[in-house]
Amino acid sequence: MPTEADVLTAHYRSLQRKWLVSDGSQVYGRLVVPNGNSSRPFHRWFHLKEAYSANLLPQILSDYGTPPDEHLRVFDPFSGSGTTLLSAVDHVASKPSLNVSAVGVERNPFLWELGTAKLQGRISGSLLVDRVESAFNSVVERFKDTHVDDVLIPEQSTIKNEKYFPRQNVQDLVALRCAIADVDDTVARSILRACLASSVEPCGQLRRDGRALRYAPLREPRSPLPVFTERISAATHDLTLTEPSTAFGDIHFGDGRNPPPSAAEDSYDWIVFSPPYPNNIDYTEVYKTEAWILGCYDSAQDMRNQRLSTIRSHPSIRFDLDFLYRSLTVAPEVERIVEPIVNAIPDDRYAAGRREVIRGYADDMFATLRKCRELIAKNGRLVFIVGNSAHGSQNSSSFVIAADVVMGALAELTGWRVQELKIARQLKRRTSDSEFLRESVVVLQPV
């Protein structure tokens, strides 16, 4: 008798059998992770471990052909910290006559601010140096005049826990945020807030580790003002060495599944994105300390509302069970793609949440791909980067969600053709040795 894993493997093989599936590990294996970003101007302002390399977009453009020499219009519906968009702006340096437009959408308020600061900093470059330095100096003066009793610590349990953050450090971080709020220069204020966000982790004893924040008791928390000063120094150094760009760039605060009209006014030559993977990571939770220090949330309900508005990639909250695809004629085809995965879920205490994730994630990706099809230019391309994930344990028959295959199959229902699926790297997990446990770069063409 074939096992559920065997049946699921056969299902995935059937879905991808007519596609060109190739080994891209020698080139793309080092590009689907943030290789080199920590030392690269602007990208180094904040370490986002879920990002991919700033060199990924140039490689994609090289492998699959650039648009006409006069323009490059790039869109990223899940812009995160702005890697795709900054890389598009950087492309101007190699082709000065190129008219570049780099537009993104991001729903996480902290990541939206971070990406916006980096993008605007990259475009304006050295023109911002004096403005940022002047704003920083005024912030330091206001900070030094702040009285501790005037600082209200956010009502958030992690930040208020002195095992994780010394109270004085939280007060100083919030005092810096309040001082930054008085800066009139919008762009300079944005850059200062990004630098403040990157100061949060060193000032406490928490570190990001996979899907959670981990207590790191051996790390000595640093004082906020020196850390903030270092971050500003690094940012102004990058600005000083950067020639202003002729590119246009903007990140809209909104939902990549249904971008705001301001982000959908043009057609795009390239749509390049990496959505949240269906791997149980709640990014609202992972980056909550930065968001709370920046004042992105006023209450626990604000944070809950943010979580509810994100991609259904994790079962840590009960999402809306409405599904777009069920109202469309393609519903039976979507069910044919999704149900074999649902049927492979072991019947344990996690089963209900996992079923919701699989159906919800498929619906969210269907909506995204459908909307992107409306935004692509006639000869454009869409490239998505996604990692597959193993769930369950060896004792309860693990299963793999092959997001690359699922998204490719859904794309075919929304007006796309899979041009190629490049396997960037195989992933290793103790619970699975599936051939579909991998991270891929998938290239789509409109039909």
Side-chain angles (χ1 to χ4, degrees):
M1 285 284 294
T3 65
E4 291 288 355
D6 293 334
V7 172
L8 191 54
T9 295
H11 175 60
Y12 291 146
R13 287 174 178 170
S14 174
L15 290 176
Q16 71 168 27
R17 69 180 184 278
K18 60 182 179 297
W19 305 342
L20 172 60
V21 178
S22 62
D23 179 6
S25 58
Q26 289 192 342
V27 174
Y28 285 91
R30 57 187 170 79
L31 298 179
V32 294
V33 293
N35 186 34
N37 289 8
S38 61
S39 60
R40 189 160 180 150
F42 303 99
H43 297 275
R44 67 179 180 142
W45 289 7
F46 188 93
H47 175 63
L48 199 80
K49 66 181 183 58
E50 299 86 8
Y52 45 73
S53 171
N55 295 319
L56 178 61
L57 180 65
Q59 186 67 51
I60 290 170
L61 295 178
S62 174
D63 286 350
Y64 295 98
T66 58
D69 289 339
E70 67 270 14
H71 60 71
L72 173 65
R73 298 166 299 183
V74 177
F75 178 63
D76 184 344
F78 303 103
S79 63
S81 63
T83 304
T84 299
L85 308 181
L86 266 72
S87 297
V89 173
D90 283 339
H91 200 63
V92 176
S94 63
K95 292 189 174 183
S97 62
L98 199 63
N99 180 20
V100 170
S101 174
V103 177
V105 176
E106 177 53 48
R107 188 62 187 82
N108 184 295
F110 157 61
L111 293 179
W112 170 71
E113 286 204 56
L114 174 64
T116 297
K118 290 163 60 179
L119 183 61
Q120 297 307 318
R122 172 62 187 86
I123 290 173
S124 297
S126 58
L127 296 176
L128 291 173
V129 174
D130 291 343
R131 293 161 56 182
V132 171
E133 289 180 342
S134 175
F136 170 69
N137 290 333
S138 66
V139 164
V140 172
E141 289 178 7
R142 283 192 288 271
F143 169 77
K144 290 181 177 178
D145 289 338
T146 302
H147 297 288
V148 171
D149 293 341
D150 296 333
V151 177
L152 296 177
I153 292 178
E155 291 296 323
Q156 205 283 322
S157 58
T158 301
I159 290 174
K160 295 183 74 172
N161 189 329
E162 294 191 41
K163 184 175 78 170
Y164 301 146
F165 287 96
R167 182 177 178 83
Q168 181 64 57
N169 282 5
V170 176
Q171 290 175 322
D172 286 354
L173 288 166
V174 175
L176 284 167
R177 182 242 291 171
C178 293
I180 293 170
D182 291 333
V183 173
D184 292 329
D185 187 324
T186 305
V187 178
R189 184 173 65 243
S190 177
I191 292 173
L192 264 61
R193 281 174 62 84
C195 291
L196 178 63
S198 70
S199 304
V200 173
E201 187 172 321
C203 295
Q205 291 180 296
L206 293 177
R207 62 181 178 84
R208 281 177 288 277
D209 180 22
R211 67 189 65 172
L213 295 171
R214 305 291 184 188
Y215 178 46
L218 300 181
R219 188 175 67 191
E220 186 68 25
R222 298 186 60 195
S223 179
L225 183 58
V227 179
F228 179 58
T229 301
E230 290 173 6
R231 299 300 193 264
I232 291 292
S233 178
T236 53
H237 179 269
D238 293 348
L239 293 170
T240 300
L241 299 179
T242 302
E243 288 290 326
S245 174
T246 59
F248 169 81
D250 195 13
I251 303 177
H252 302 262
F253 184 61
D255 191 336
R257 294 166 292 189
N258 186 24
S262 53
E265 294 175 344
D266 199 1
S267 60
Y268 297 97
D269 306 299
W270 288 91
I271 299 177
V272 180
F273 67 89
S274 182
Y277 300 174
N279 55 8
N280 293 343
I281 295 180
D282 177 0
Y283 294 102
T284 306
E285 175 72 17
V286 171
Y287 293 101
K288 68 181 179 182
T289 55
E290 289 82 7
W292 276 97
I293 291 296
L294 289 183
C296 297
Y297 310 129
D298 290 328
S299 66
Q301 186 60 49
D302 281 350
M303 181 171 162
R304 176 178 171 79
N305 290 341
Q306 163 61 25
R307 295 173 77 188
L308 286 169
S309 69
T310 58
I311 295 296
R312 290 171 280 185
S313 62
H314 58 88
S316 57
I317 194 168
R318 303 311 294 267
F319 286 98
D320 187 344
L321 296 181
D322 288 339
F323 300 99
L324 168 67
Y325 72 82
R326 286 183 174 170
S327 65
L328 304 174
T329 57
V330 297
E333 291 300 305
V334 175
E335 295 287 355
R336 184 181 67 82
I337 295 166
V338 171
E339 287 309 303
I341 313 172
V342 173
N343 294 336
I345 297 173
D347 190 16
D348 56 23
R349 62 194 178 103
Y350 302 110
R354 286 168 173 164
R355 292 186 188 108
E356 288 184 13
V357 165
I358 291 167
R359 293 192 176 104
Y361 190 81
D363 190 59
D364 288 341
M365 293 302 100
F366 176 87
T368 301
L369 293 162
R370 186 171 181 250
K371 188 63 180 181
C372 286
R373 180 62 184 85
E374 298 174 10
L375 300 178
I376 199 69
K378 181 179 180 181
N379 297 316
R381 296 284 189 279
L382 184 152
V383 179
F384 65 82
I385 302 92
V386 71
N388 302 341
S389 51
H391 300 260
S393 67
Q394 292 172 324
N395 295 329
S396 60
S397 52
S398 68
F399 66 99
V400 169
I401 301 177
D404 57 357
V405 177
V406 171
M407 289 180 64
L410 293 172
E412 293 180 322
L413 301 178
T414 58
W416 297 98
R417 179 181 75 82
V418 177
Q419 179 179 342
E420 186 171 10
L421 185 154
K422 277 187 177 294
I423 301 171
R425 58 178 185 149
Q426 295 292 151
L427 305 175
K428 297 184 182 298
R429 298 290 184 272
R430 289 181 294 104
T431 58
S432 177
D433 58 359
S434 169
E435 68 190 74
F436 288 97
L437 193 55
R438 65 198 186 192
E439 193 165 14
S440 305
V441 176
V442 183
V443 184
L444 307 178
Q445 292 177 296
V447 293

